[in-house]
Amino acid sequence: MISNENDMKDEKREFLKKAKFTLLCWKEEMSKLQQLWTWMTVNIYGSMIKIPSNEDILEEKKKRIEVLCRAVGVPKEKKDAITKELCDGQFKHYVLTYDNILKMVNIILNVRSNLPTVLMGETGCGKTALIKCLACATNTELEA
C-alpha cells in the first residue's frame, strides 16, 4: 500500500513537471527571499531605501505588542512573557499590524460587553491567527 502511494506521488510530480508547473517549498523560498532582502536596496523615485533588518522588524513588533498590551489591559508582570511568546513562540512569524490591533481591541471590547461577535472573511485571510494571537495577548485559553 505504501509503495503504491509513493508511486502515485511520483507520477503526480512527473505530470506536474511535464505540465511545466513549478513546485516550491514555502520555507525554502522565504529563506531565499530573506537572504536577498538583506543584500538588496530598493531604488524608489531616485532615492535609495534600505530594507529593514530582522532586528528592526522585531523592535517594531515589540512596539506594537506594547500598544496591544496597553489596549487590552495586560498586567505589567505578564507583559514580558506575552511579548516573548508573540516574538519567539508560535507567533514568531505573525505580522502584527495596527489594523489587526484595532480588530483585536474591538473583539475584546465586544466580548467584555457580552456582545455577539462575528468574524467574516475569505478562507486563509487570518481570522484564526488573529483570535489565537488575541488569546495569547490576553493570557486566555482558547478552545476551538
Side-chain angles (χ1 to χ4, degrees), residues 29-78:
E29 295 304 315
M30 287 308 294
S31 175
K32 290 176 189 174
L33 278 175
Q34 284 179 334
Q35 290 173 1
L36 178 64
W37 287 344
T38 58
W39 297 322
M40 140 181 124
T41 57
V42 178
N43 187 354
I44 298 177
Y45 303 115
S47 63
M48 297 299 283
I49 298 174
K50 189 172 180 350
I51 302 291
S53 67
N54 287 341
E55 292 80 22
D56 294 337
I57 293 170
L58 186 61
E59 284 305 312
E60 180 62 29
K61 186 172 183 177
K62 286 180 181 178
K63 289 178 188 175
R64 293 175 185 195
I65 291 169
E66 177 66 29
V67 170
L68 176 63
C69 288
R70 278 190 278 150
V72 298
V74 174
K76 289 182 181 180
E77 54 274 359
K78 293 186 178 182

